[in-house]
Amino acid sequence: MTNTINLFTGKLIKLTAPRNEDAAIMAAWEEDSVYLRNLDTDIAYPRSVAQLEEENKPSSGSKYFRLRTIEDDSLIGFVVIHSIEWNNRSGLLAIGIGEQNNQNKGYGSEALQLILRYAFNELNLNRVGLDVIGYNERAIRAYEKAGFVVEGRVRSAVYRDGEYSDRMNMGILRSEWEKINN
Ligand SMILES: CC(C)(COP(=O)(O)OP(=O)(O)OC[C@H]1O[C@@H](n2cnc3c(N)ncnc32)[C@H](O)[C@@H]1OP(=O)(O)O)[C@@H](O)C(=O)NCCC(=O)NCCS
């Protein structure tokens, strides 16, 4: 093994720890209900700066990163492996690129590549799973590009604007990731 690769750095973005100034920027992202309604199935409600400062303290069950551009170090999102079960070598992934003008630029896809390399080569996990709402086609496309496959579908799990949507379960195994990346 040669230890020559910086696991935290890609071509466009890098994975960093949270910084003090981040919470105010992230609170502004949460004023966009489109973002919140793509992020998860909870009732959309923006968190305060104080709430955002409190969360995501380091713990053994999760590895939480902020996403910053290489170009100017600006905060554009977050990515996390959470609910880690060390005995089962498995964890769950969540990701968010905050502003609409930073979406669709390849940042999310690169973040997925970085976090999967970290999950499999540093955390030594065997499986990474996630949930995504069926209407979030951009996220599903980004996950499929990264190698995730649909493993299940919880029917009519989300009810918004008078319509039901499915919640999809996706996952990737280490062996599948190795095939794509070697
Ligand atoms: C989902 C998310 C992480 C994707 O990251 P991103 O940087 O915007 O996406 P990328 O530019 O890397 O890739 C998006 C891909 O989806 C495609 N796409 C965009 N809109 C699409 C749509 N409506 N239907 C299908 N594919 C779509 C893009 O063309 C691109 O694929 P390509 O590279 O083959 O052209 C980001 O948009 C985001 O955080 N959104 C808000 C919160 C969220 O949805 N989080 C995920 C919760 S499960």
Side-chain angles (χ1 to χ4, degrees):
M1 191 202 103
T2 53
N3 179 25
T4 53
I5 293 172
N6 184 349
L7 293 173
F8 306 130
T9 308
K11 291 192 174 76
L12 301 171
I13 54 139
K14 56 187 175 177
L15 310 179
T16 78
R19 296 179 191 163
N20 290 339
E21 65 272 21
D22 292 352
I25 299 167
M26 297 182 77
W29 298 344
E30 297 207 358
E31 291 172 8
D32 177 2
S33 69
V34 175
Y35 170 72
L36 289 179
R37 283 173 142 204
N38 277 333
L39 210 52
D40 58 38
T41 62
D42 292 344
I43 293 172
Y45 188 80
R47 284 173 295 175
S48 66
V49 172
Q51 282 173 304
L52 285 157
E53 275 168 351
E54 269 311 298
E55 69 156 22
N56 302 313
K57 300 251 161 80
S59 79
S60 93
S62 82
K63 294 293 164 214
Y64 180 95
F65 292 99
R66 298 274 157 81
L67 303 173
R68 294 188 154 78
T69 62
I70 301 277
E71 193 181 19
D72 62 8
D73 206 36
S74 61
L75 180 70
I76 54 140
F78 75 89
V79 67
V80 57
I81 302 285
H82 65 96
S83 306
I84 297 173
E85 296 179 359
W86 294 110
N87 52 334
N88 295 318
R89 298 179 66 184
S90 79
L92 299 177
L93 180 145
I95 184 169
I97 307 286
E99 285 175 24
Q100 292 189 14
N101 67 4
N102 281 325
Q103 294 165 0
N104 268 326
K105 289 184 170 172
Y107 293 149
S109 295
E110 192 173 276
L112 290 171
Q113 284 177 1
L114 292 175
I115 197 70
L116 286 178
R117 183 174 67 185
Y118 183 77
F120 292 126
N121 280 357
E122 182 63 18
L123 303 181
N124 295 317
L125 298 184
N126 181 54
R127 148 182 188 87
V128 176
L130 60 84
D131 281 357
V132 57
I133 304 171
Y135 59 64
N136 196 349
E137 291 172 351
R138 180 174 50 216
I140 293 166
R141 169 80 189 129
Y143 296 142
E144 283 175 342
K145 267 175 34 182
F148 284 86
V149 296
V150 176
E151 297 178 326
R153 184 180 277 271
V154 185
R155 295 172 302 156
S156 297
V158 184
Y159 183 67
R160 279 174 174 158
D161 301 329
E163 280 181 36
Y164 287 100
S165 303
D166 297 346
R167 191 175 69 235
M168 293 159 67
N169 316 123
M170 300 183 79
I172 181 168
L173 301 181
R174 182 191 186 91
S175 55
E176 295 164 343
W177 176 80
E178 280 173 347
K179 258 189 218 148
I180 302 168
N181 288 282
N182 287 325

